Amino acid sequence: MFKRVLYLLLLLLFTLLCEAAILRDSEQSSSKTCGYESCIKVDPNKLNVHIVPHSHDDVGWLKTVDQYYYGSRSLTQKAGVQYIIDSVIEALRRDPARKFIYVETAFLWKWWQRQDEKTKEEVKQLVNEGRLEIIGGAWSMNDEATTHYQSIIDHSTWGFRRLNDTLGECARPKIGWQIDPFGHSREQASLFAQFGFDGMFFGRLDFQDKYKRLKEKTAEFLWKASSSLGEKAYLFSVALFNNYSPPPGFCFDVLCSDDPLIDDPGSPDNNIEARIKVFYNYTMYQSRFYQTNNIIITMGGDFTYQQSEMYFMNLDKLIRYTNKIYGSEVNVFYSTPSCYLKSLNEAQISWPSKSDDFFPYSSDPHAFWTGFFTSRPTLKFFERMGNNFLQITKQLSVLSSQMDSEGLIHFKEAMGVMQHHDAVTGTEKQHVAADYARLLSASFAYGTEIVSKAVSQMVKKNPQIPDAEFHSCLLLNISSCVITESSGNFVVTLYNPASQPTSTYIRVPVTGNAYNVSDNSGSEIVTQLLPVPQFVRQTPGRNSNSTKELVFFAEIPPLGYRSFYVTELGELTAEEGEEMKPASVSAIENDLYTVSVNQAGNVVVKWKNMTLQVTQSFHYYEGMKGNNTAFAYRASGAYIFRPKESNVYNVSYSGSYKFYTGPVVNELHLTVNSYISQVVRVYKEEQKVEFDWVVGPIPIQDSIGREIITKYSSNLQSDGTFYTDSNGREMIKRRRNYRPSWNVTLEEPIAGNYYPVTAKIYLEDVEKKVRVSLLNDRAQGGTSMLDGELEVMLHRRLLNDDAFGVGEALNETAFGYGLVARGSHSLIAGRIQDLAGVALQEKTEAISLALRPWYLFTPAGGVTFHQWKARYFMKGSSLKSKLSKNVHILTLEPWKDDTILLRLEHLFEKDEAGALSQSATVNLLDLFANIEIISVRETSLGGNQWIEQMKRLQWQIDSNEVDDQPYTFTSINKTEEGAMEVVLNSMEIRTFIMTVKHT
Ligand SMILES: *[C@@H]1O[C@H](CO)[C@@H](O)[C@H](O)[C@H]1NC(C)=O
Ligand SMILES: [Zn+2]
């Protein structure tokens, strides 16, 4: 008896020891088997079929982010991300052969926070073993047409940071997974390469392009994503065969209705041989269109895997039986995009290349996804302002050492959500758009708190002085601000987030009759009062007494602030009285050009030093009504732009106009008709003409709706060519009715010529050597349908859905009326010989639109100007020395512990701006006035890998295609004089994590 007990005890002990040993083994191996090392060896003599289970989880679309996470509103869509991740982990646990990829860090993080330690460890283990692979990894799967590069970098960085902090190094994404965005930008590919990614998979490209690529086996290629960065921006890219769906008939998800695989030999429903044959045939068919003996098969879809076992159990069988029956020809196995990529890389063949982009995207001859470039114009502007204020919040967090702030994290995450391909795009349901706005508006409140605190700290002359309050006025875009309207005297402080001094025309809504403004020196500034136009005053929802705007010019120091004390005067001077009255002139002008209005109500701008005239006019398209029963019956909607019969209609002029002149600015207030009006501004010393447009409520009595555009027509010969930006960064050449990589047939001659204009569109006359550029304040669609003419879509209101899933017409209303949008265009013209001059003007304007100085208001109460000046600094900069004009501080944000993240960028392309395109050297120690840099380490663009560890797969390009110079990296140079120098080549961005001390 005793013996037996002892024996049992020994046995138990032995088992325990063994288990411990096994555990240790797997722990040891776990740290080494993620990434390419976890990949199964492919068979060189067979077709290798990489089965990739995945779930496409939109960060909001038909439901809000939270509704998708928790799975509420299941009648709208049966989708709950918490169930997906839970059940995937469970399914992976069951069988080590199974693999899964996860993409959206917004959801993964939400889920992670709600798990116990045991689950977290288990998930880490799965990641370490390469069974759960994180790809993409940004906060959301961002859109590529309407997003700004600064925001793409930011939300990717934040996603990567969360991944590294929680799951560790094995969770560092190596692959871009852009399977659903509606077309693909070159800048996105360039950024991916700079994140250290080895490749990118995508689903949506023009159907004609896709057909040709499959036919010619060029759906896998090397994307040369920057003409300035060369090899540094090469990205291997894969156009997927069947978007991101499984082969027809093989969706085993609970959301699908395809039959399961039934292998019971006795069952009359046994279907195994027949189904496996279909699958085998499909793999053979797909392989005909790709170059190697590998194919990737995506097994998943929107919100699939809520009951993972159902999918996996059938995939297990699919793999087992296909190998069993057709094993001499095919090798089927669970894989990941990175293992697929590795097998292509090892194939040792050369690949074709591409250097344009994938816009516009059309899914059928009548469906050009070019409407979303403009859809929801006010949400698009709010998003852009979100970036503007987020950068300010980040900078001021660093500059005032508010390093750990929950508010800032909320703000970053809200902006990450906004980048999603159904958020900033405007292709979500109305209630979801409202939820995005709610999220972002909460972030503005967090930001304001941080910014006020920082500025009140910064301006105090000594610590005993009471804090002054600094308030944001978030309704300045409708000329409304409670503080300026309700305080007689007030202080307006502007913070400039740009790295160069910004010259700006400060504009504050007021109610009084006359004002006097003093700057830091105490001298009175030249000001001007202008009426707020009636068409702005009547904006639905505007609840303001301001009838005037006080305008004055100032230069704000870089990364710095400047305050102005505004005193209300009792008496109106004679001049101010005059300024408020329309001037009896027939044109307004400055040294460079004159602005007048023609009989059709169009604005005519005539340059004085060039034979250039630009006429600006408004027009509209009528959407195709369509019932979506066939391609030819598509309706214009949130995604697609499809004008009826390709007609553009003139807006008939039924309004009136007035000119106002004064010492600061001359303005044209033009009402075109009942729903279109604008202010055109001519500043004394500015090259730009500013068009401040107001559009809405767009009439819908015709039950169709309208898409409103503006055209700038010039006498330039642009030869069918124009240029649009890629995510606000490099420019891409466009030609009307043309695609660089295939012979295009356009059945939609207008929509098919629309391109995303995130920041800029221009055209040139090579003979006259003149360029006309237009810069905008939010993403819009644009084109050039006639030589010399730029066209931009401003606003859309449509009563039909275009049947791409959103299920609602794009009919935005606010305060009981059709939505009114207000925005601005800056028109700049210049000579091409003076490349540096024009390019610098444009860049300066682009920065002043994207990174505007932020207005902060303080009611003066009883504090006089002299008292204010005695207590508070009225001007300051955090830059230690002037930066070269081609260098910009792209990011300055608190990182972890005592570190900050700094990004420096070179602003110009290789041949864009003469001397300014040359490389620049920056001494890091010379950057900040009150921050001492203790140590610096450079990282990849996403901040998640030390630069010296960043190694990317190398690919060979087809020999007949010209290769760029290899990219040469220069590390930080510590000079003998004690400087820390970094070199920035044209278009380069470099990222540093620095340990700092505030002095
Ligand atoms: C990633 O996280 C690990 C563990 O916290 C840390 O040691 C490492 O420095 C991080 N990597 C980067 C590039 O920040
Ligand atoms: Zn999607």
Side-chain angles (χ1 to χ4, degrees):
M1 186 67 191
F2 177 75
K3 252 186 176 168
R4 186 157 172 82
V5 170
L6 188 66
Y7 171 76
L8 277 175
L9 269 175
L10 276 172
L11 190 70
L12 187 69
L13 192 65
F14 180 73
T15 322
L16 281 173
L17 280 171
C18 279
E19 267 182 8
I22 289 164
L23 217 64
R24 254 207 325 280
D25 267 348
S26 69
E27 266 170 12
Q28 274 170 358
S29 57
S30 72
S31 59
K32 298 199 179 68
T33 54
C34 68
Y36 298 124
E37 281 167 53
S38 72
C39 298
I40 288 171
K41 238 182 124 51
V42 300
D43 190 329
N45 302 315
K46 293 178 189 168
L47 175 66
N48 294 284
V49 180
H50 298 248
I51 301 284
V52 176
H54 78 101
S55 178
H56 177 60
D57 300 346
D58 288 305
V59 182
W61 180 37
L62 309 180
K63 311 204 286 188
T64 67
V65 185
D66 278 9
Q67 288 162 1
Y68 273 135
Y69 180 74
Y70 289 105
S72 37
R73 287 215 188 197
S74 56
L75 288 182
T76 303
Q77 193 179 5
K78 209 155 180 52
V81 174
Q82 57 173 346
Y83 308 129
I84 295 173
I85 306 179
D86 258 0
S87 95
V88 162
I89 301 304
E90 178 59 37
L92 293 179
R93 184 187 288 147
R94 287 196 181 184
D95 182 349
R98 292 173 174 177
K99 295 193 177 204
F100 197 80
I101 55 171
Y102 204 77
V103 185
E104 296 84 6
T105 301
F107 282 133
L108 191 62
W109 171 248
K110 219 177 173 73
W111 180 85
W112 180 264
Q113 286 168 288
R114 289 160 178 78
Q115 306 309 309
D116 57 26
E117 283 310 310
K118 186 168 159 285
T119 313
K120 287 182 181 174
E121 279 309 311
E122 195 178 7
V123 172
K124 242 187 243 179
Q125 179 85 1
L126 290 171
V127 169
N128 288 345
E129 291 171 12
R131 291 157 65 188
L132 176 62
E133 178 170 303
I134 308 295
I135 65 174
W139 203 247
S140 63
M141 184 186 295
N142 64 259
D143 173 55
E144 301 186 29
T146 63
T147 46
H148 191 270
Y149 70 98
Q150 190 163 28
S151 298
I152 300 175
I153 296 171
D154 268 8
H155 91 117
S156 304
T157 303
W158 186 241
F160 299 165
R161 163 73 191 278
R162 283 291 199 213
L163 291 169
N164 190 50
D165 285 355
T166 51
L167 292 163
E169 304 242 339
C170 278
R172 187 177 51 244
K174 296 192 306 297
I175 308 279
W177 186 251
Q178 294 291 100
I179 53 169
D180 198 27
F182 326 134
H184 300 278
S185 72
R186 197 175 68 180
E187 186 61 25
Q188 179 78 57
S190 168
L191 297 177
F192 277 157
Q194 296 172 65
F195 290 151
F197 283 13
D198 282 321
M200 194 262 289
F201 292 74
F202 64 101
R204 298 184 185 275
L205 65 161
D206 185 289
F207 69 99
Q208 295 179 32
D209 191 9
K210 184 171 180 181
Y211 178 78
K212 177 164 186 268
R213 285 182 180 279
L214 289 178
K215 206 173 71 185
E216 297 176 354
K217 295 195 184 187
T218 55
E220 292 167 330
F221 57 93
L222 201 62
W223 200 341
K224 296 177 165 182
S226 162
S227 51
S228 298
L229 294 172
E231 204 182 310
K232 192 184 182 185
Y234 283 9
L235 187 74
F236 191 85
S237 307
V238 176
L240 291 165
F241 188 63
N242 190 25
N243 276 14
Y244 51 93
S245 304
F250 293 87
C251 179
F252 302 112
D253 200 76
V254 64
L255 299 177
C256 299
S257 44
D258 296 340
D259 279 343
L261 297 184
I262 305 169
D263 57 351
D264 181 347
S267 170
D269 291 341
N270 184 310
N271 60 8
I272 203 75
E273 272 180 40
R275 298 295 306 286
I276 296 297
K277 184 163 183 218
V278 173
F279 181 71
Y280 162 78
N281 286 338
Y282 184 88
T283 61
M284 287 295 155
Y285 177 68
Q286 179 174 336
S287 76
R288 289 185 4 214
F289 304 102
Y290 290 86
Q291 282 210 51
T292 73
N293 64 332
N294 291 275
I295 58 168
I296 176 169
I297 295 200
T298 47
M299 286 290 185
D302 294 3
F303 299 94
T304 49
Y305 291 83
Q306 289 171 79
Q307 290 179 36
S308 294
E309 198 50 41
M310 217 171 136
Y311 221 134
F312 275 112
M313 195 186 277
N314 284 288
L315 291 180
D316 289 346
K317 282 185 194 157
L318 184 74
I319 292 170
R320 192 164 77 237
Y321 284 102
T322 312
N323 286 333
K324 196 169 152 191
I325 304 173
Y326 298 98
S328 59
E329 290 165 79
V330 294
N331 176 30
V332 189
F333 50 95
Y334 283 114
S335 185
T336 63
S338 65
C339 291
Y340 175 71
L341 206 67
K342 177 178 177 254
S343 64
L344 298 194
N345 189 255
E346 286 172 352
Q348 297 289 334
I349 57 173
S350 64
W351 304 91
S353 70
K354 171 188 174 76
S355 47
D356 59 323
D357 64 356
F358 287 102
F359 287 122
Y361 163 57
S362 71
S363 52
D364 68 55
H366 298 287
F368 281 87
W369 298 43
T370 54
F372 83 91
F373 299 162
T374 301
S375 297
R376 298 193 189 275
T378 61
L379 189 71
K380 282 185 165 71
F381 181 63
F382 195 27
E383 184 277 332
R384 197 59 62 83
M385 284 300 102
N387 180 56
N388 192 156
F389 196 43
L390 175 60
Q391 301 311 324
I392 289 167
T393 306
K394 286 179 173 190
Q395 292 181 359
L396 285 169
S397 296
V398 169
L399 298 173
S400 63
S401 7
Q402 299 178 64
M403 300 297 267
D404 291 309
S405 137
E406 282 297 311
L408 179 57
I409 292 175
H410 285 303
F411 202 163
K412 292 189 207 180
E413 295 182 351
M415 280 302 289
V417 168
M418 291 307 296
Q419 306 310 308
H420 167 59
H421 60 270
D422 291 304
V424 61
T425 50
T427 55
E428 64 281 58
K429 279 191 186 288
Q430 184 57 49
H431 81 99
V432 179
D435 190 64
Y436 287 136
R438 175 193 66 82
L439 265 173
L440 192 52
S441 109
S443 296
F444 272 79
Y446 293 125
T448 298
E449 214 170 285
I450 294 167
V451 164
S452 306
K453 196 167 145 195
V455 173
S456 62
Q457 244 181 59
M458 259 177 172
V459 300
K460 278 203 285 196
K461 287 194 168 166
N462 74 59
Q464 280 76 49
I465 288 168
D467 280 350
E469 291 167 24
F470 292 88
H471 303 276
S472 286
C473 264
L474 299 179
L475 297 178
L476 289 174
N477 67 332
I478 48 165
S479 309
S480 159
C481 174
V482 174
I483 295 172
T484 60
E485 286 163 22
S486 56
S487 346
N489 300 349
F490 57 89
V491 177
V492 52
T493 303
L494 278 88
Y495 174 78
N496 175 17
S499 321
Q500 298 291 338
T502 296
S503 299
T504 185
Y505 292 85
I506 298 165
R507 182 172 283 269
V508 284
V510 289
T511 50
N513 281 326
Y515 290 87
N516 167 340
V517 177
S518 303
D519 70 2
N520 46 302
S521 67
S523 50
E524 195 179 318
I525 294 181
V526 179
T527 63
Q528 186 179 341
L529 273 179
L530 286 137
V532 175
Q534 188 55 34
F535 54 78
V536 172
R537 284 163 65 182
Q538 73 197 22
T539 308
R542 183 177 185 270
N543 181 15
S544 165
N545 299 322
S546 293
T547 51
K548 309 179 185 82
E549 280 178 322
L550 178 66
V551 185
F552 54 97
F553 172 82
E555 195 179 83
I556 319 293
L559 289 196
Y561 62 89
R562 197 164 169 192
S563 299
F564 304 88
Y565 191 99
V566 181
T567 312
E568 184 177 357
L569 306 173
E571 293 293 307
L572 188 68
T573 64
E575 286 139 37
E576 283 158 339
E578 281 307 306
E579 286 160 17
M580 287 289 291
K581 286 196 204 119
S584 50
V585 292
S586 56
I588 47 177
E589 63 180 333
N590 65 13
D591 290 349
L592 296 170
Y593 54 83
T594 59
V595 169
S596 59
V597 181
N598 70 14
Q599 293 212 320
N602 301 332
V603 177
V604 180
V605 188
K606 229 186 185 132
W607 272 261
K608 294 176 177 173
N609 60 349
M610 298 180 273
T611 47
L612 173 66
Q613 177 169 321
V614 173
T615 304
Q616 182 241 17
S617 51
F618 291 94
H619 309 260
Y620 66 91
Y621 292 106
E622 230 172 71
M624 188 75 174
K625 205 166 170 178
N627 58 11
N628 304 310
T629 52
F631 290 160
Y633 304 131
R634 285 252 183 235
S636 202
Y639 300 86
I640 70 164
F641 165 40
R642 189 176 179 213
K644 191 177 87 184
E645 292 146 10
S646 294
N647 283 338
V648 62
Y649 299 94
N650 293 333
V651 165
S652 59
Y653 176 52
S654 59
S656 60
Y657 61 91
K658 293 170 191 152
F659 290 110
Y660 295 90
T661 56
V664 182
V665 60
N666 297 327
E667 292 191 349
L668 159 65
H669 293 198
L670 170 66
T671 300
V672 178
N673 66 12
S674 61
Y675 63 95
I676 299 173
S677 35
Q678 66 180 340
V679 177
V680 181
R681 301 201 175 96
V682 178
Y683 297 101
K684 281 277 125 77
E685 318 231 323
E686 293 275 330
Q687 208 166 338
K688 71 168 173 191
V689 194
E690 189 175 289
F691 295 83
D692 180 355
W693 51 268
V694 179
V695 174
I698 299 174
I700 49 169
Q701 289 84 336
D702 56 9
S703 320
I704 296 168
R706 286 175 186 188
E707 294 162 77
I708 314 301
I709 59 148
T710 181
K711 288 186 180 192
Y712 298 83
S713 319
S714 74
N715 53 335
L716 299 188
Q717 281 311 314
S718 50
D719 198 21
T721 304
F722 57 108
Y723 299 79
T724 61
D725 69 289
S726 185
N727 303 106
R729 202 156 156 75
E730 296 186 29
M731 299 302 292
I732 298 190
K733 184 177 181 170
R734 312 293 187 186
R735 273 174 63 191
R736 203 180 312 128
N737 302 327
Y738 176 81
R739 302 288 187 261
S741 44
W742 81 95
N743 286 331
V744 72
T745 316
L746 290 181
E747 297 202 27
E748 293 292 331
I750 297 171
N753 276 309
Y754 256 66
Y755 289 89
V757 180
T758 317
K760 180 163 92 177
I761 180 170
Y762 73 75
L763 53 77
E764 290 180 341
D765 187 320
V766 188
E767 299 257 300
K768 289 204 185 82
K769 302 206 182 317
V770 170
R771 179 196 286 187
V772 172
S773 309
L774 193 73
L775 291 97
N776 57 9
D777 59 352
R778 74 200 68 193
Q780 295 169 320
T783 185
S784 172
M785 290 309 297
L786 288 173
D787 281 357
E789 180 187 279
L790 294 172
E791 166 176 337
V792 173
M793 189 178 288
L794 303 174
H795 195 0
R796 345 174 52 213
R797 190 177 185 196
L798 301 163
L799 297 193
N800 294 284
D801 174 38
D802 52 11
F804 284 104
V806 72
E808 279 179 8
L810 186 69
N811 179 13
E812 291 183 281
T813 57
F815 307 99
Y817 298 89
L819 183 72
V820 176
R822 184 183 186 187
S824 108
H825 279 170
S826 300
L827 184 74
I828 294 175
R831 291 187 190 284
I832 318 177
Q833 296 104 304
D834 184 18
L835 215 51
V838 184
L840 182 61
Q841 275 287 329
E842 289 174 1
K843 204 64 74 172
T844 307
E845 185 61 16
I847 289 176
S848 70
L849 283 164
L851 294 171
R852 311 171 177 215
W854 202 258
Y855 287 63
L856 294 162
F857 296 94
T858 313
V863 181
T864 64
F865 169 73
H866 291 286
Q867 287 167 332
W868 182 278
K869 200 179 167 212
R871 294 177 190 176
Y872 308 110
F873 296 112
M874 294 182 73
K875 189 177 175 186
S877 170
S878 298
L879 272 196
K880 192 161 160 188
S881 56
K882 235 167 115 175
L883 271 176
S884 151
K885 282 199 186 332
N886 49 7
V887 175
H888 182 229
I889 298 173
L890 181 63
T891 317
L892 178 62
E893 75 174 282
W895 200 233
K896 359 178 186 192
D897 308 322
D898 280 331
T899 62
I900 61 172
L901 185 144
L902 170 76
R903 270 194 200 96
L904 297 174
E905 69 172 325
H906 190 297
L907 287 170
F908 295 95
E909 293 183 48
K910 212 162 64 186
D911 300 314
E912 181 182 7
L916 288 173
S917 289
Q918 301 298 310
S919 52
T921 305
V922 180
N923 177 5
L924 296 179
L925 301 183
D926 251 2
L927 278 179
F928 303 111
N930 301 311
I931 297 175
E932 188 190 330
I933 297 173
I934 315 243
S935 66
V936 182
R937 254 185 113 175
E938 184 163 3
T939 65
S940 60
L941 180 62
N944 62 336
Q945 190 174 31
W946 306 116
I947 199 83
E948 62 276 8
Q949 287 163 12
M950 183 174 134
K951 289 200 176 59
R952 303 203 302 135
L953 296 180
Q954 298 294 307
W955 304 86
Q956 206 181 322
I957 301 183
D958 280 348
S959 54
N960 56 350
E961 299 183 33
V962 194
D963 217 333
D964 285 317
Q965 289 289 317
Y967 177 75
T968 44
F969 173 75
T970 51
S971 49
I972 304 170
N973 176 28
K974 294 191 178 144
T975 67
E976 282 175 15
E977 295 77 39
M980 240 186 230
E981 287 177 345
V982 296
V983 176
L984 293 159
N985 298 316
S986 66
M987 273 293 135
E988 196 173 20
I989 306 177
R990 295 183 67 172
T991 308
F992 307 94
I993 307 236
M994 321 201 292
T995 309
V996 295
K997 212 163 83 192
H998 289 262
T999 55

